[in-house]
């Protein structure tokens, strides 16, 4: 038994070392571009005559020839969502044109020669955000024959699919940009992001964030193996949320049919066109096998330990960034994990619009932890090794990218970078400080952009202080009195 333990430990060590090396190779933080530090600044100047919009940020021009973009929620008489609008031809996505003006050596104007011009398919994206007045969009670049077209976007690696996110609920405008980039500093893959301004059919729409969607790409994004022909082997990406409208993507796994998980997993990659019923079933079985071992009495043993199946560091980092920001959809909704052939599961962060005290309800106050209750963490948190590593990692991050000094400087730099783009955004959306106040009680809604930024700073201060003092309480979940029937 003792020797088996030593061998198991050696295997884990070798796997961890080789995995970390590969991981650094692909996703080294040095490759992370923080647009606000490296791109054209607001004071760079321009010699135009000021007769049209002039911005240091990239400019995205969308032309639908006046046709409405599909994807608006359709409600029945009782205000229940019964579907989404489509094109006149009944399609989910509309063919349209996109131009991007993003050259680094000059400011940008609508009449400038575009750096990227393409056909595209576009629809409104999101869940609750589909109801917002300021829409977010899913964009797929296409060639004239309709096939997908991979293009570099504002310096981000070439891909055909992008999310054009319009901060609206987040009146600071910086939550997703900031936390995706901070996550990208210490986790594996986190979606890359670039601020830009959008014009739709000639009308200025305000500030947006061009965002990589979480999917696979050639040497970019999650970067896993494509389906291997004539086998059921493939890298795959799963989403835990409300399920997909494409039936072949939806899977039933152990935690569903044992009623431990009331949400739904669906396959995000491979794409539906590459899925067969057999491949979908094989992915469901592979993930189900992992869940069964995670929820078994020997989940932490040298024969079946969860650490053979998951990248422990990735799960710890995901837990910490979502707890630090009390981003409590994480683990329930918009939750992504992926695995390459022969690899381990890794987590990917997504959506910080409600993070740092921006939920409507007041119940999500900063003095507690929640992620340990989610389906992926419920068992991990019973293991002392996991919890101790998590606490150590927290202390380490608080000396670096999660320190208050680093985060305050980050916020200062991002706000300075946005410059007068903030004012332009609120020239369209400024009314929301009065007309859209979803947070309760009402006093939590910021009166202006400055207050929205201060709210994040205050929250980081309060949350950081509390977690510094209380992170050790997570040890209660792995204490012998609580887990003796599981742990040996
Ligand atoms: Zn100009």
């Amino acid at each position: 038994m003792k020797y088996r333990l030593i061998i198991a430990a050696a295997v884990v060590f070798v796997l961890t070392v080789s995995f970390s090396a590969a991981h650094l190779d692909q996703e080294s933080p040095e490759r992370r571009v923080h647009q606000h530090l490296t791109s054209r600044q607001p004071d760079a100047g321009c010699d135009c005559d000021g007769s049209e919009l002039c911005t240091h940020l990239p400019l995205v021009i969308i032309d639908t020839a006046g046709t409405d973009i599909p994807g608006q929620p359709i409600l029945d008489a009782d205000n229940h969502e019964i579907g989404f609008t489509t094109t006149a031809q009944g399609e989910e996505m509309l063919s349209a044109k996109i131009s991007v003006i993003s050259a680094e050596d000059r400011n940008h104007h609508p009449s400038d020669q575009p750096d990227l011009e393409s056909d595209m398919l576009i629809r409104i994206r999101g869940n609750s955000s589909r109801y917002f007045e300021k829409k977010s969009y899913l964009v797929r670049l296409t060639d004239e024959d309709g096939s997908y077209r991979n293009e570099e976007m504002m310096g981000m690696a070439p891909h055909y699919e992008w999310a054009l996110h319009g901060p609206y609920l987040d009146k600071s405008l910086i939550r997703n940009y900031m936390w995706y980039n901070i996550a990208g500093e210490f986790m594996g893959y986190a979606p890359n992001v670039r601020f830009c301004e959008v014009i739709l059919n000639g009308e200025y729409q305000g500030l947006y964030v061009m965002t990589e969607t979480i999917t696979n790409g050639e040497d970019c994004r999650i970067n896993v193996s494509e389906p291997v022909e004539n086998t059921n082997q493939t890298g795959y990406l799963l989403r835990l949320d409300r399920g997909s409208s494409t039936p072949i993507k939806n899977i039933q796994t152990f935690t569903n049919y044992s009623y431990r998980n009331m949400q739904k997993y669906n396959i995000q990659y491979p794409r539906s066109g590459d899925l067969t019923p057999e491949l979908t079933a094989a992915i469901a079985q592979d993930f189900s096998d992992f869940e069964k071992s995670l929820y078994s009495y020997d989940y932490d043993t040298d024969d079946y330990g969860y650490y053979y199946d998951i990248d422990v560091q990735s799960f710890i980092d995901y837990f910490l960034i979502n707890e630090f920001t009390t981003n409590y959809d994480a683990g329930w909704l918009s939750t992504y994990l992926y695995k390459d052939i022969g690899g381990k599961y890794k987590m990917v962060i997504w959506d910080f619009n409600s993070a740092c005290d921006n939920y409507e309800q007041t119940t999500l106050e900063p003095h507690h932890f929640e992620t340990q209750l989610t389906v992926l963490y419920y068992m991990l948190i019973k293991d002392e090794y996991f919890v101790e590593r998590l606490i150590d990692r927290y202390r380490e991050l608080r000396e670096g990218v999660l320190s208050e000094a680093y985060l305050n400087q980050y916020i200062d730099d991002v706000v300075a970078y946005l410059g007068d783009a903030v004012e332009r955004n609120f020239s369209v959306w400024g009314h929301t400080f009065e007309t859209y106040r979803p947070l309760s009680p009402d006093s939590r809604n910021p009166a202006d952009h400055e207050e929205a930024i201060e709210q994040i700073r205050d929250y980081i201060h309060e949350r950081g202080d509390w977690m510094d003092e209380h992170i050790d309480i997570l040890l209660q979940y792995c204490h012998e009195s609580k887990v003796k029937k599981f742990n040996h």
Side-chain angles (χ1 to χ4, degrees):
M1 185 66 186
K2 200 172 168 189
Y3 290 110
R4 281 172 55 201
L5 269 174
I6 292 167
I7 291 165
V11 168
V12 170
F13 178 74
V14 169
L15 285 175
T16 311
V17 168
S18 56
F19 192 79
S20 309
H23 157 104
L24 280 176
D25 209 12
Q26 278 170 21
E27 292 161 350
S28 135
E30 291 88 70
R31 283 187 51 186
R32 185 94 202 165
V33 171
H34 298 260
Q35 178 193 24
H36 68 284
L37 298 178
T38 55
S39 289
R40 189 171 179 82
Q41 297 295 311
D43 58 1
C46 184
D47 53 14
C48 72
D49 64 8
S51 61
E52 60 174 344
L53 170 65
C54 170
T55 173
H56 62 294
L57 295 179
L59 199 50
V60 174
I61 297 173
I62 297 170
D63 181 6
T64 73
T67 308
D68 286 344
I69 297 175
Q72 289 267 18
I74 303 171
L75 304 179
D76 68 10
D78 299 321
N79 264 352
H80 293 134
E81 186 180 285
I82 51 171
F84 302 111
T85 56
T86 60
T87 65
Q89 294 74 34
E91 303 288 338
E92 271 185 29
M93 298 187 81
L94 175 74
S95 291
K97 303 227 178 264
I98 184 170
S99 310
V100 179
I101 301 161
S102 57
E104 281 293 326
D105 59 349
R106 54 186 159 77
N107 271 13
H108 310 124
H109 318 87
S111 64
D112 290 354
Q113 183 62 33
D115 298 285
L116 167 67
E117 268 183 296
S118 182
D119 291 333
M120 68 166 168
L121 294 168
I122 184 169
R123 68 166 169 80
I124 297 168
R125 67 165 302 281
N127 288 321
S128 48
S129 59
R130 290 199 200 220
Y131 291 85
F132 296 162
E133 201 184 345
K134 184 182 185 183
K135 302 296 181 191
S136 290
Y137 303 102
L138 181 74
V139 166
R140 290 187 181 137
L141 305 178
T142 54
D143 279 324
E144 276 164 23
D145 67 1
S147 58
Y148 291 142
R149 171 180 175 184
N150 292 329
E151 288 289 345
E152 195 173 296
M153 180 72 78
M154 305 172 195
M156 295 183 280
H159 203 283
Y160 65 85
E161 189 179 86
W162 302 89
L164 197 46
H165 162 66
Y168 180 78
L169 169 67
D170 171 21
K171 289 169 182 163
S172 80
L173 310 172
I174 70 169
R175 278 179 171 81
N176 275 358
Y177 176 89
M178 170 172 174
W179 293 113
Y180 287 20
N181 276 335
I182 301 274
E185 284 290 283
F186 66 93
M187 293 185 71
Y189 173 71
N192 285 291
V193 278
R194 300 286 192 276
F195 283 117
C196 56
E197 291 177 87
V198 171
I199 294 174
L200 169 62
N201 294 327
E203 251 181 76
Y204 178 74
Q205 304 293 313
L207 188 79
Y208 275 72
V209 185
M210 187 66 87
T211 306
E212 291 183 346
T213 56
I214 303 178
T215 186
N216 199 24
E218 289 167 28
D219 295 322
C220 65
R221 313 231 174 153
I222 63 167
N223 206 7
V224 296
S225 309
E226 294 180 1
V228 180
E229 256 182 84
N230 303 317
T231 75
N232 281 328
Q233 287 200 310
T234 183
Y236 64 87
L237 167 71
L238 301 180
R239 180 180 68 155
L240 179 63
D241 204 296
R242 300 184 176 98
S244 167
S245 56
T246 310
I248 199 164
K249 290 177 157 184
N250 291 317
I251 56 173
Q252 275 279 320
T253 67
F254 174 73
T255 55
N256 292 126
Y257 54 73
S258 60
Y259 295 99
R260 291 174 188 276
N261 175 18
M262 307 314 275
Q263 308 297 330
K264 293 173 181 152
Y265 279 107
N266 73 264
I267 299 168
Q268 287 287 111
Y269 182 86
R271 289 173 280 272
S272 53
D274 292 330
L275 286 174
T276 58
E278 294 73 28
L279 188 54
T280 295
I283 292 170
Q285 187 64 53
D286 191 54
F287 186 66
S288 225
D289 288 348
F290 157 63
E291 286 185 315
K292 263 184 238 174
S293 72
L294 184 63
Y295 275 90
S296 69
Y297 285 114
D298 38 19
Y299 81 106
D300 65 339
T301 62
D302 58 333
D303 284 339
Y304 303 106
Y306 66 84
Y307 34 79
Y308 299 118
D309 292 317
I310 70 165
D311 181 318
V312 175
Q313 191 68 60
S314 168
F315 276 68
I316 285 174
D317 289 341
Y318 183 90
F319 184 107
L320 286 173
I321 193 157
N322 287 302
E323 275 300 337
F324 190 76
T325 56
T326 52
N327 191 33
Y328 283 148
D329 278 355
W332 300 105
L333 295 168
S334 297
T335 299
Y336 294 81
L337 77 167
Y338 66 98
K339 179 187 165 186
D340 204 352
I341 298 170
K344 294 183 177 188
Y345 292 104
K346 298 178 80 178
M347 305 291 296
V348 193
I349 51 110
W350 186 253
D351 191 356
F352 286 81
N353 283 305
S354 299
C356 300
D357 197 25
N358 209 33
Y359 278 97
E360 297 181 17
Q361 308 87 339
T362 52
T363 48
L364 297 175
E365 52 85 65
H367 300 153
H368 74 307
F369 295 110
E370 269 189 29
T371 312
Q372 74 280 5
L373 304 172
T374 60
V375 66
L376 283 162
Y377 287 91
Y378 187 78
M379 291 299 291
L380 298 177
I381 208 78
K382 292 179 189 297
D383 182 40
E384 198 174 355
Y385 164 77
F386 184 85
V387 178
E388 281 176 352
R389 269 190 69 175
L390 186 140
I391 292 170
D392 287 349
R393 178 66 161 167
Y394 174 73
R395 304 256 184 244
E396 179 194 336
L397 291 171
R398 282 289 277 171
E399 300 291 314
V401 294
L402 291 189
S403 72
E404 197 167 328
Y406 181 87
L407 293 172
N408 275 333
Q409 185 65 51
Y410 202 93
I411 293 170
D412 285 345
D413 292 347
V414 172
V415 172
Y417 170 68
L418 289 177
D420 48 15
V422 171
E423 211 170 294
R424 281 195 294 274
N425 179 75
F426 288 115
S427 72
V428 182
W429 303 109
H431 66 88
T432 60
F433 288 114
E434 276 88 47
T435 59
Y436 176 66
R437 298 172 66 87
L439 310 188
S440 155
D442 187 64
S443 59
R444 287 174 61 227
N445 293 284
D448 51 33
H449 181 252
E450 213 171 300
E451 222 177 278
I453 293 288
E454 282 316 303
Q455 204 172 46
I456 299 181
R457 278 191 219 281
D458 291 347
Y459 196 77
I460 288 169
H461 175 72
E462 189 180 359
R463 180 63 176 166
D465 269 7
W466 186 84
M467 277 183 69
D468 290 351
E469 206 171 316
H470 295 92
I471 186 83
D472 290 339
I473 68 172
L474 289 171
L475 285 163
Q476 71 180 291
Y477 295 98
C478 59
H479 191 268
E480 200 184 341
S481 60
K482 195 140 184 170
V483 297
K484 62 187 169 193
K485 68 178 175 176
F486 291 103
N487 295 347
H488 304 272

